[in-house]
Amino acid sequence: MKDKLSFKPMIYSSLFLNIIYIYLIPGTNICFEPDTPGYLNFHAIRSSGYPIFLNFLQLFSENYKFYAAVQILLSTFASLYLSHEVFQWTKSLKWSWLIWTCFILNPIMYLMNIKILTESLYITLSIIIISGSMKYVRRGYAWPYLALISSCVALSISVRPAGYFYIISIIILVLLYQPKIKLLSYEKVLALTVPVLLILFTSSIIYKSYHHKKLSLLPAHLFGRGLTLMQESDIVTLPPTLKDKAPVIIELNNKINALDGFNIRHLARTRTEVMYQHQINHKLNDEQRFKVGKELIRNHKMAYCKITALHFFHLWTGFEVFSINESNSFWEQSKNWKKPDFIDQYRWNDTLVKKRRTFPLSFLRWSLLVLLISVLIAPLLAFFQILKKTGKKNNYFLLAGFFSSCCIGHSIIISMIGIATLRYTLILTPFLIINLFCLIYPLVTKTNNYLSTDHSDKTNKENNNEL
């Protein structure tokens, strides 16, 4: 009862802020992105989770502000659930309010929630995964909470395929706390597998009810990545419709690789990869594009690994946040490039050579490296806890290892088949916030306990001297 009373101000504050947030939902120019119509109309290249969610909301209203409002409310309820779980762990309203502030008052999350994109639902599911994993550990590794986590992971996969790595993360979570395989009871095995299989099977059935043939963005992604790696020796193996374009593509790749400026080069690579994915008039079907991309990647394995590593690194550097000098430099270096005949003029300008928007505080992008370091350190701390033969293990470090594995796995999948863009890092915001909490809270608590003990000892010593 006391817990409920303590949380009433937090609930009322959340509802009050939600009214403001919903009132401030902007126009379609902010809420809609180029991918939005594909989700609203359930295009065949889209995963089924988010279009199903939107189709359900359309039963009540077709106003995009209604969709954004529902996304805001779902995110708020998930954040309240997490804040309550943090209170159950720490027994401190101060820490609970801190987590509430980091989520409810987070401008990044608000921006994601008003977009008619998969990001909002994906982030909300991530928050529930975090809350469920904390409750799973706190309540003695009970299988119902494991089923909740696996259900949300399956829903995440149906929304964004990058969530597939979360399946591995769940297994890591279980093994972190129960290294002995014999402790995996049949209830936990079922809790791990049944929700994932059931939800993904249902998602597939619904998809097939809308589309006769399964389409995917994977052929386009592999095709774009392959063309960025292409060299003259590859031309003879290309389909006829692509052979005549190959020399121009190779020349453009060479220009990009010769750009002055590390950030500039990688931004140009990502923009060019997007252009190759969708804006080349190549007259190839998905099967042919998939074959071409796979063959080019196979021919240049080391170059593929290098660019994948660069994508991973740039996910954590905010490379799209250009300074004035970088924007001017890129414009000067690219303004005289000749447009290939097989690319539309608007797409050429808009995707690649336009003058980039600048940010006055662009140097702050490097602060993302702090998050990357924390994400890489956490698994090491978790591994150290596993190796401890005696003493009480630090559950916060073990949980941080799980949250970090979610971030690392998500980034690896994106880097392997997609481009680096800051948006793909920002959707990991819930994991990043709670990962920092799990790393900082034990250290702060230990320091406070040490100072408190030290002060107490000093006081006792003074009292003894007086006596």
Side-chain angles (χ1 to χ4, degrees), residues 228 256-257 265-273 307 310:
T228 62
I256 289 168
N257 291 330
R265 282 196 302 276
H266 197 72
L267 180 130
R269 287 193 190 104
T270 59
R271 297 299 89 204
T272 307
E273 192 170 325
I307 198 170
L310 284 171

Side-chain angles (χ1 to χ4, degrees), residues 1-4 6-7 10 82-99 134-135 138-139 396 437 441 445:
M1 184 67 179
K2 187 177 179 181
D3 289 356
K4 292 181 179 179
S6 300
F7 267 83
M10 192 177 291
L82 176 58
S83 299
H84 184 266
E85 188 57 35
V86 169
F87 174 75
Q88 295 299 325
W89 270 73
T90 63
K91 302 303 179 184
S92 168
L93 276 175
K94 291 180 180 179
W95 284 98
S96 184
W97 273 101
L98 177 62
I99 293 300
M134 295 182 76
K135 180 161 283 191
R138 183 173 61 83
R139 299 295 288 269
Y396 290 99
F437 163 75
Y441 176 76
T445 305

Side-chain angles (χ1 to χ4, degrees), residues 31 58 74 88 113 140 182 187 209 294 369:
C31 297
Q58 285 173 358
L74 289 175
Q88 295 299 325
N113 286 329
K182 66 180 181 180
E187 292 99 337
S209 70
K294 188 172 68 172
L369 287 176

Side-chain angles (χ1 to χ4, degrees), residues 159-423:
V159 172
R160 294 179 73 94
Y164 268 109
F165 195 89
Y166 292 169
I167 296 176
I168 300 175
S169 296
I170 299 180
I171 298 172
I172 292 174
L173 173 67
V174 173
L175 295 181
L176 280 174
Y177 288 94
Q178 299 167 145
K180 296 179 181 179
I181 300 298
K182 66 180 181 180
L183 292 178
L184 287 177
S185 62
Y186 74 91
E187 292 99 337
K188 290 179 182 176
V189 172
L190 292 176
L192 276 170
T193 57
V194 172
V196 173
L197 295 175
L198 185 61
I199 291 174
L200 292 183
F201 176 75
T202 304
S203 176
S204 176
I205 294 298
I206 296 175
Y207 179 92
K208 289 179 180 178
S209 70
Y210 280 86
H211 308 290
H212 298 295
K213 184 180 179 182
K214 174 69 175 176
L215 297 181
S216 170
L217 285 171
L218 183 60
H221 285 308
L222 291 184
F223 181 72
R225 180 65 58 85
L227 291 190
T228 62
L229 306 173
M230 188 169 58
Q231 299 179 7
E232 291 185 11
S233 58
D234 300 310
I235 295 178
V236 294
T237 65
L238 297 176
T241 57
L242 200 58
K243 282 184 178 179
D244 60 329
K245 302 176 179 60
V248 179
I249 293 173
I250 294 171
E251 181 183 358
L252 180 58
N253 289 343
N254 292 335
K255 287 179 179 178
I256 289 168
N257 291 330
L259 283 169
D260 183 26
F262 184 70
N263 254 22
I264 293 172
R265 282 196 302 276
H266 197 72
L267 180 130
R269 287 193 190 104
T270 59
R271 297 299 89 204
T272 307
E273 192 170 325
V274 169
M275 192 169 62
Y276 291 162
Q277 288 173 10
H278 305 295
Q279 295 154 15
I280 289 182
N281 182 19
H282 44 63
K283 300 179 181 178
L284 302 176
N285 57 36
D286 281 352
E287 290 78 10
Q288 290 171 321
R289 283 195 295 171
F290 183 82
K291 182 179 179 181
V292 169
K294 188 172 68 172
E295 186 66 27
L296 289 171
I297 290 172
R298 186 186 293 119
N299 292 344
H300 306 286
K301 298 183 184 68
M302 290 304 297
Y304 169 75
C305 291
K306 179 181 177 181
I307 198 170
T308 297
L310 284 171
H311 277 310
F312 183 90
F313 177 74
H314 277 86
L315 281 170
W316 298 94
T317 58
F319 71 98
E320 294 165 298
V321 181
F322 260 31
S323 66
I324 295 176
N325 289 337
E326 286 171 327
S327 178
N328 292 337
S329 176
F330 180 58
W331 170 250
E332 289 296 327
Q333 293 182 74
S334 65
K335 66 180 181 180
N336 294 323
W337 287 357
K338 183 179 179 182
K339 180 188 75 67
D341 296 335
F342 47 85
I343 296 176
D344 178 78
Q345 183 67 50
Y346 171 77
R347 298 298 181 185
W348 168 257
N349 292 336
D350 186 62
T351 304
L352 183 60
V353 299
K354 71 177 180 181
K355 195 173 182 66
R356 311 307 300 187
R357 185 174 52 163
T358 62
F359 298 83
L361 302 177
S362 60
F363 62 90
L364 292 177
R365 66 193 178 200
W366 297 108
S367 61
L368 282 172
L369 287 176
V370 175
L371 298 177
L372 176 60
I373 292 170
S374 71
V375 163
L376 296 177
I377 286 177
L380 298 177
L381 293 175
F383 184 68
F384 175 74
Q385 294 294 311
I386 294 297
L387 293 179
K388 288 176 73 172
K389 300 296 183 183
T390 58
K392 185 178 178 180
K393 291 181 172 58
N394 189 314
N395 285 335
Y396 290 99
F397 288 165
L398 292 173
L399 276 171
F402 166 63
F403 299 140
S404 291
S405 71
C406 291
C407 295
I408 293 170
H410 180 278
S411 298
I412 288 174
I413 290 177
I414 292 296
S415 302
M416 289 177 66
I417 60 175
I419 63 165
T421 180
L422 188 57
R423 183 161 60 101

Side-chain angles (χ1 to χ4, degrees), residues 454-467:
D454 183 59
H455 178 73
S456 177
D457 291 343
K458 185 177 180 181
T459 302
N460 291 335
K461 187 176 180 180
E462 290 175 352
N463 290 337
N464 290 333
N465 291 335
E466 290 177 2
L467 291 173

